[in-house]
Amino acid sequence: MLDFSVNFLYCQTCTSAKARLGEDKPEFDSWFEGHFGECNVNYTGNPGGMEVAVAEDLWDRSVDRHGFRYTTILSDGYAKTFKRLSEMEVYGPDVKIEKEECVNHVAKRMKTALLKLATAGKKCGVVLGGQGYGKLTGTTIKTLANCYDNAIRSNRGNLEGMREAVFATFFHAISTDEDPHHTHCPEGATSWCFYQRALAKG
């Protein structure tokens, strides 16, 4: 690990002292003067801004401490950090920060979206979830999220291939014997699609 920064909003020692001495009492103020240099609390802003604050520290000191510049941030979907780093222009206006998405978090967001869809549909009288064939069950949602993950990983650097693989998963999932939709699925005897395998084998 090259560098890291940890922000704390809470200090157990302070909490214990406040309970023992009284937060508004002179005794606590006197005690805190001696504790200040050892206190764990090093961040007092909104909890949602902690990640941004840490990124600011790491980027701001990278040249002085390590002699190089961070030009890419691996994102978990939290856009404020990338936005703030871009606004800071730490290395000047000519050095742009790029963002790459974490595939695990992208797949997780797909799973969360499907769960919300099933829940919202139920509230509107449209039963997507539940048990049985064709239902958006927990197992089905997990499978779709995993396929989405695989479609992204197996087509890295190939946006069109990624798009085709995602659509293949979707259309494969809604297919029935009476109404098949396997034209997007990979062809051949080694295809993951049972329909395309059957066609290849005649």
Side-chain angles (χ1 to χ4, degrees), residues 116-183:
K116 287 183 178 179
L117 179 64
T119 302
K122 186 176 182 180
K123 291 180 179 179
C124 297
V126 180
V127 182
L128 298 174
Q131 301 299 319
Y133 181 79
K135 297 294 185 179
L136 196 57
T137 64
T139 300
T140 301
I141 289 174
K142 183 177 180 180
T143 299
L144 288 173
N146 287 339
C147 289
Y148 187 66
D149 181 297
N150 184 65
I152 296 173
R153 293 180 188 275
S154 59
N155 290 279
R156 182 178 180 181
N158 181 3
L159 184 59
E160 186 57 36
M162 192 182 299
R163 179 180 179 277
E164 186 69 14
V166 170
F167 272 105
T169 298
F170 171 73
F171 284 110
H172 180 90
I174 65 173
S175 294
T176 63
D177 292 340
E178 295 76 21
D179 188 22
H181 295 278
H182 299 283
T183 55

Side-chain angles (χ1 to χ4, degrees), residues 39-96:
C39 185
N40 287 332
V41 176
N42 59 357
Y43 178 80
T44 57
N46 188 297
M50 292 181 73
E51 182 178 315
V52 177
V54 167
E56 287 181 358
D57 288 341
L58 295 178
W59 257 256
D60 196 43
R61 70 192 186 200
S62 65
V63 174
D64 292 337
R65 181 174 292 191
H66 306 294
F68 69 85
R69 299 173 292 193
Y70 299 119
T71 57
T72 304
I73 178 172
L74 180 61
S75 175
D76 60 359
Y78 188 67
K80 289 184 178 179
T81 302
F82 173 68
K83 182 175 182 293
R84 175 57 181 153
L85 291 174
S86 298
E87 292 172 346
M88 287 174 62
E89 295 185 342
V90 181
Y91 311 125
D94 296 330
V95 180
K96 303 299 182 183

